[in-house]
C-alpha cells in the first residue's frame, strides 16, 4: 500500500509467482539492465511531477478546503496567480526541522540499538535476527526484525505524552504539516543521492549493483540492491518501514486530535480511518519477517522511488483521508459506517488469508490443507542462471484458485473503505483508490511477465486454470 510507481508499501508486498520454489534466476532479479524509451519517459515524468503532485494535494487542503479544482479555476480565471499560492504556503521552520530530525534519529536508534524482545513473549510473532532471500550475487543478508517493537514503543510514548506528560500537543504533526513536508523532501532527496553515490564509489556488494548507463533511471530505480551502513543498517528495510509507516498511525492520531480541538468531537469517519489503517500498519509489522521475501527486498534496488517515496509520498498521500476529515468532519449514518467497517475488514481478511495460504504452501512444500483440502498444484520446471534445472509447484487452490492476485483485490477493498469513510463531497480522498488501482494493475502485469519468463508453458497452464487476475469473471 507503501509505489512501484513510487512506493509499494505496504499492503502491496507480494512475492512474485505463487510457488514453493526457493531458487530464482538472475533474470528475475531487480530492475532492467537496459532502458527503453517508455521507461525513461516514465522515470523523467515521475521525477518532475511526483513532488508537484504531493505539494498540490497538501496545498489544496491548506488553502482551498481540499478542493482539487478550485486552485486550477482560480489561476485560469485570473483570481489568483501561482506566485500568490506559493506565497501563502508555509515555509520550513526551525521547529519543524528540529521535530523531523528528532523523529528520524529516534527511529534510527530504535532500529539499530534496541534488539527485538517482542518475539520472546508474543506467540506466533517472528522477530529478532532473520535471514533474507538470496541476492543475485548469492549473498544471504541478516536483518534485525524489530519493527513491531519500534511501533509499540513509539505509540506508548505518544499516548503517555497525550494523557500524562504533556510535553507537546497531540496536534503537533498537523500544526507543522507543510513545514514538515519540506523536511521530508530534504531527507528523501539526500538519502537517494547518497545511495547513488554509494553505489558508484563504495557499494556494500559490487556484484549486486546494476548500471544502465542512464543517469535518470539509475537515480530513480537505484543502483545497489541492498545498500547498508555497517552490519545492520539496511536502507531498504529501514526506509520502507521506518520512518514512514510508523509515522502513518501517528499522523492519523494527530489529525484526530486536531478534529477534536476544532469541533469538540472525533467523528465516526475519523475513527474508521484510524482503525482500518492501523490494522494494516500493525499487520505490516507483525509480518515484517515475511516481508523480507517480498518484491521490495527480493527484486527492487534502492533509489529515489523508494528513498523519496518512503519519506514523502507514503506519509503525505496515504494519509489524505485523515487530513480531509480535519477540514470536513464527516459524521456517517450508522448503516454507512457499518458498511465501511465490514468492507474494510473483509478486504483485510482476503488480503491476509490469501498471503497466509501462499506462505503455508511454500513453507510446507505443498504438504498442507487449504480450505480443508489437499491443495491442487501445477508441476513445473525452470532453469536458473547457472544452467541448473529446478522443479516447482504453482498453487491452484484456495484464494489462488479464484484469481491470480486476490490478495491485491483485498487490498483494493480496504483502499475503497478508507475513501468511502470520507463520504462523497470531494474527489481528494479517492485519489488513494485510483492510485492503488493503477499501482496494483501494473504490479499484476509486472509479476506475470516475470513468472511467464520463468515458467514458460507451465505458467500458460496456470493462467488457463485460473483465468482472471483480480476480479473473478471480470478481470
Amino acid at each position: 500500500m507503501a509505489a512501484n510507481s513510487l512506493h509499494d508499501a505496504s499492503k502491496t508486498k507480494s512475492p512474485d509467482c505463487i510457488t514453493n520454489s526457493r531458487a530464482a534466476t538472475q533474470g528475475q532479479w531487480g530492475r532492467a539492465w537496459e532502458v527503453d524509451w517508455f521507461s525513461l519517459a516514465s522515470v523523467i515524468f515521475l521525477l518532475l511531477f511526483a513532488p508537484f503532485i504531493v505539494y498540490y494535494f497538501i496545498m489544496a487542503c491548506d488553502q482551498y478546503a481540499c478542493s482539487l479544482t478550485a486552485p486550477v479555476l482560480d489561476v485560469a480565471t485570473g483570481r489568483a496567480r501561482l506566485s500568490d499560492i506559493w506565497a501563502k504556503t508555509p515555509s520550513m521552520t526551525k521547529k519543524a526541522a528540529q521535530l523531523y530530525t528528532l523523529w528520524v534519529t529516534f527511529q534510527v536508534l530504535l532500529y539499530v540499538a534496541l534488539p527485538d524482545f517482542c518475539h520472546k513473549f508474543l506467540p506466533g510473532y517472528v522477530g529478532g535476527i532473520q535471514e533474507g532471500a538470496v541476492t543475485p550475487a548469492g549473498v544471504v543478508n541478516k536483518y534485525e526484525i524489530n519493527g513491531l517493537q519500534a511501533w509499540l514503543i513509539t505509540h506508548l510514548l505518544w499516548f503517555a505524552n497525550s494523557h500524562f506528560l504533556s510535553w507537546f500537543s497531540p496536534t503537533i504533526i498537523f500544526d507543522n504539516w507543510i513545514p514538515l513536508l519540506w523536511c521530508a523532501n530534504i531527507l528523501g532527496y539526500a538519502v537517494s543521492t547518497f545511495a547513488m553515490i554509494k553505489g558508484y564509489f563504495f557499494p556494500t556488494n559490487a556484484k549486486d549493483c546494476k548500471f544502465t548507463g542512464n543517469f535518470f533511471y539509475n537515480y530513480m530505480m537505484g543502483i545497489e540492491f541492498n545498500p547498508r551502513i555497517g552490519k545492520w543498517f539496511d536502507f531498504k528495510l529501514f526506509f520502507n518501514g521506518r520512518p514512514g509507516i510508523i509515522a502513518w498511525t501517528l499522523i492519523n492520531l494527530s489529525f484526530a486530535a486536531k478534529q477534536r480541538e476544532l469541533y469538540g468531537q472525533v467523528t465516526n469517519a475519523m475513527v474508521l480511518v484510524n482503525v482500518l489503517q492501523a490494522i494494516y500498519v500493525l499487520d505490516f509489522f507483525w509480518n515484517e519477517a515475511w516481508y523480507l521475501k517480498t518484491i521490495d527486498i527480493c527484486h527492487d534496488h534502492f533509489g529515489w522511488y523508494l528513498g523519496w517515496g518512503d519519506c514523502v509520498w507514503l506519509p503525505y498521500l496515504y494519509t489524505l483521508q485523515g487530513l480531509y476529515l480535519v477540514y470536513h468532519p464527516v459524521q456517517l449514518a450508522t448503516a454507512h459506517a457499518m458498511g465501511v467497517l465490514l468492507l474494510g475488514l473483509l478486504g483485510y481478511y482476503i488480503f491476509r488469508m490469501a498471503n497466509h495460504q501462499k506462505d503455508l504452501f511454500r513453507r510446507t512444500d505443498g504438504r498442507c490443507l487449504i480450505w480443508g483440502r489437499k491443495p491442487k498444484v501445477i508441476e513445473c520446471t525452470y532453469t536458473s542462471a547457472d544452467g541448473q534445472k529446478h522443479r516447482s509447484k504453482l498453487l491452484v487452490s484456495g484464494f489462488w484458485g479464484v484469481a491470480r492476485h486476490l490478495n491485491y483485490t483485498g487490498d483494493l477493498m480496504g483502499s475503497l473503505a478508507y475513501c468511502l469513510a470520507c463520504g462523497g463531497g470531494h474527489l481528494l480522498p479517492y485519489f488513494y483508490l485510483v492510485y492503488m488501482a493503477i499501482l496494483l494493475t501494473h504490479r499484476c502485469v509486472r509479476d506475470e511477465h516475470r513468472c511467464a519468463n520463468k515458467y514458460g508453458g507451465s505458467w500458460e497452464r496456470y493462467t488457463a486454470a485460473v483465468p482472471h487476475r483480480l476480479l473473478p469473471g471480470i478481470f
Side-chain angles (χ1 to χ4, degrees):
M1 219 181 197
N4 245 6
S5 290
L6 280 186
H7 180 264
D8 293 333
S10 48
K11 288 194 292 190
T12 66
K13 313 299 184 200
S14 175
D16 66 325
C17 312
I18 303 77
T19 170
N20 68 338
S21 167
R22 296 193 180 192
T25 70
Q26 185 173 358
Q28 304 303 320
W29 263 304
R31 57 167 180 75
W33 288 94
E34 297 179 356
V35 186
D36 57 58
W37 69 268
F38 180 78
S39 297
L40 179 59
S42 300
V43 163
I44 293 175
F45 175 84
L46 287 171
L47 286 170
L48 290 175
F49 290 102
F52 170 76
I53 290 170
V54 176
Y55 169 76
Y56 186 84
F57 276 83
I58 304 307
M59 176 277 297
C61 282
D62 182 57
Q63 299 184 31
Y64 290 91
C66 297
S67 171
L68 292 179
T69 57
V72 176
L73 291 175
D74 268 11
V75 172
T77 58
R79 287 196 297 265
R81 295 175 299 176
L82 292 176
S83 58
D84 297 330
I85 294 174
W86 180 253
K88 294 178 182 177
T89 302
S91 59
M92 189 173 73
T93 63
K94 181 180 179 181
K95 180 179 181 181
Q98 291 172 337
L99 285 172
Y100 197 76
T101 301
L102 179 63
W103 165 250
V104 175
T105 302
F106 181 58
Q107 291 306 315
V108 169
L109 290 174
L110 289 179
Y111 178 58
V112 300
L114 194 61
D116 183 74
F117 57 80
C118 288
H119 70 281
K120 296 181 179 180
F121 65 88
L122 289 177
Y125 172 67
V126 179
I129 298 174
Q130 301 293 324
E131 289 187 347
V134 181
T135 73
V139 177
V140 178
N141 289 310
K142 291 186 177 182
Y143 299 84
E144 176 68 50
I145 300 299
N146 60 2
L148 180 64
Q149 172 179 283
W151 188 91
L152 289 171
I153 292 173
T154 301
H155 285 72
L156 284 173
L157 288 174
W158 176 274
F159 283 112
N161 172 77
S162 298
H163 296 284
F164 305 108
L165 302 175
S166 299
W167 288 339
F168 54 83
S169 168
T171 66
I172 191 170
I173 299 175
F174 177 88
D175 295 338
N176 294 276
W177 194 225
I178 295 181
L180 286 169
L181 172 62
W182 310 129
C183 300
N185 269 282
I186 290 172
L187 177 62
Y189 278 97
V191 73
S192 304
T193 303
F194 175 78
M196 186 174 188
I197 295 172
K198 183 178 181 301
Y200 274 105
F201 296 105
F202 48 101
T204 302
N205 191 316
K207 293 182 179 179
D208 277 332
C209 293
K210 278 189 178 180
F211 301 90
T212 64
N214 185 282
F215 171 84
F216 297 106
Y217 194 88
N218 287 345
Y219 183 70
M220 178 170 178
M221 301 307 296
I223 293 173
E224 275 202 86
F225 195 69
N226 285 108
R228 289 188 163 202
I229 294 178
K231 183 178 180 180
W232 295 112
F233 190 86
D234 184 272
F235 279 61
K236 278 203 288 191
L237 188 64
F238 177 78
F239 282 98
N240 271 287
R242 285 72 66 82
I245 295 183
I246 288 181
W248 189 346
T249 38
L250 289 184
I251 293 165
N252 281 342
L253 288 171
S254 185
F255 290 165
K258 191 65 180 183
Q259 190 187 69
R260 181 166 187 162
E261 178 185 281
L262 293 173
Y263 309 106
Q265 66 170 344
V266 176
T267 65
N268 58 5
M270 180 69 86
V271 172
L272 281 170
V273 168
N274 270 261
V275 169
L276 291 175
Q277 294 186 349
I279 289 173
Y280 160 65
V281 170
L282 279 170
D283 177 272
F284 175 86
F285 287 116
W286 183 270
N287 295 285
E288 191 176 18
W290 167 82
Y291 168 67
L292 298 180
K293 304 298 193 297
T294 61
I295 278 181
D296 276 359
I297 298 295
C298 293
H299 296 282
D300 291 335
H301 291 235
F302 186 86
W304 180 86
Y305 107 98
L306 281 179
W308 180 88
D310 291 324
C311 291
V312 181
W313 186 271
L314 189 156
Y316 275 85
L317 294 189
Y318 285 26
T319 58
L320 282 176
Q321 290 80 27
L323 180 64
Y324 173 83
L325 291 171
V326 174
Y327 293 93
H328 302 274
V330 174
Q331 179 71 23
L332 301 173
T334 301
H336 187 166
M338 289 302 298
V340 169
L341 178 62
L342 290 175
L343 176 64
L345 293 178
L346 178 60
Y348 171 73
Y349 174 80
I350 293 173
F351 161 77
R352 174 45 45 211
M353 291 308 297
N355 284 324
H356 171 71
Q357 289 176 357
K358 175 172 54 182
D359 183 56
L360 178 65
F361 178 71
R362 285 178 161 175
R363 285 188 289 106
T364 63
D365 192 28
R367 293 185 290 271
C368 60
L369 296 179
I370 293 180
W371 287 355
R373 298 179 181 179
K374 183 179 178 180
K376 297 179 182 179
V377 302
I378 291 177
E379 301 282 348
C380 57
T381 60
Y382 66 94
T383 304
S384 57
D386 58 7
Q388 297 294 316
K389 286 193 174 182
H390 303 269
R391 300 183 64 83
S392 188
K393 301 172 185 176
L394 297 172
L395 177 62
V396 197
S397 289
F399 287 112
W400 302 99
V402 177
R404 302 198 292 270
H405 303 275
L406 209 67
N407 55 337
Y408 294 170
T409 306
D411 223 344
L412 288 172
M413 292 169 67
S415 302
L416 176 60
Y418 306 161
C419 301
L420 290 175
C422 297
H426 285 79
L427 292 174
L428 182 138
Y430 289 84
F431 168 80
Y432 184 74
L433 177 64
V434 174
Y435 163 72
M436 288 299 293
I438 296 171
L439 169 66
L440 294 180
T441 301
H442 173 264
R443 174 61 68 88
C444 284
V445 174
R446 180 187 178 195
D447 286 356
E448 297 197 1
H449 176 72
R450 182 179 289 121
C451 291
N453 287 338
K454 182 176 181 179
Y455 295 111
S458 298
W459 184 254
E460 292 179 5
R461 287 192 288 130
Y462 174 67
T463 57
V466 187
H468 295 100
R469 289 186 171 104
L470 291 172
L471 300 174
I474 300 175
F475 174 71

